Amino acid sequence: MLHFIIYSRSYCHLCEDMLRALEQYRHAYTFTVEMLDVDADEDLLARYDELVPVLMGSRAGQAPRQLCHYFLDPGQVEHFLKDRD
């Protein structure tokens, strides 16, 4: 199972843009997306505050890895989606 996390915040147009760009891959891939508000958690805020939005990708049994921040990086996302290792 493929899963994405977007570390975001309320009223963030870049966060919504990243989600919309990611959703364009649904025609070819099955995945879930979770939006986490960094402002609701002090640890997340300390880690991602200036980088929001941050896109993380994970596969079942693997730790999430950062794919991009600010804007969706199509090359990184496509590599993650196609990588079967």
Side-chain angles (χ1 to χ4, degrees):
M1 173 185 252
L2 301 173
H3 180 69
F4 291 100
I5 299 170
I6 300 176
Y7 291 105
S8 63
R9 58 176 32 110
S10 298
Y11 307 109
C12 169
H13 74 280
L14 291 177
C15 301
E16 295 301 320
D17 291 348
M18 183 175 282
L19 177 60
R20 274 192 297 279
L22 184 60
E23 290 291 341
Q24 293 181 12
Y25 291 93
R26 284 211 188 268
H27 70 280
Y29 299 95
T30 301
F31 56 84
T32 57
V33 179
E34 180 179 8
M35 301 283 286
L36 293 179
D37 187 344
V38 299
D39 295 322
D41 182 296
E42 289 181 23
D43 292 333
L44 293 179
L45 184 61
R47 186 168 186 176
Y48 299 116
D49 184 33
E50 296 298 320
L51 299 175
V52 166
V54 176
L55 179 64
M56 305 289 282
S58 66
R59 297 180 176 283
Q62 296 181 357
R65 64 181 184 188
Q66 184 173 326
L67 301 175
C68 52
H69 64 274
Y70 300 137
F71 304 98
L72 188 117
D73 181 331
Q76 287 290 329
V77 171
E78 289 170 18
H79 178 75
F80 172 77
L81 289 168
K82 293 176 184 176
D83 184 16
R84 298 292 179 214
D85 294 332

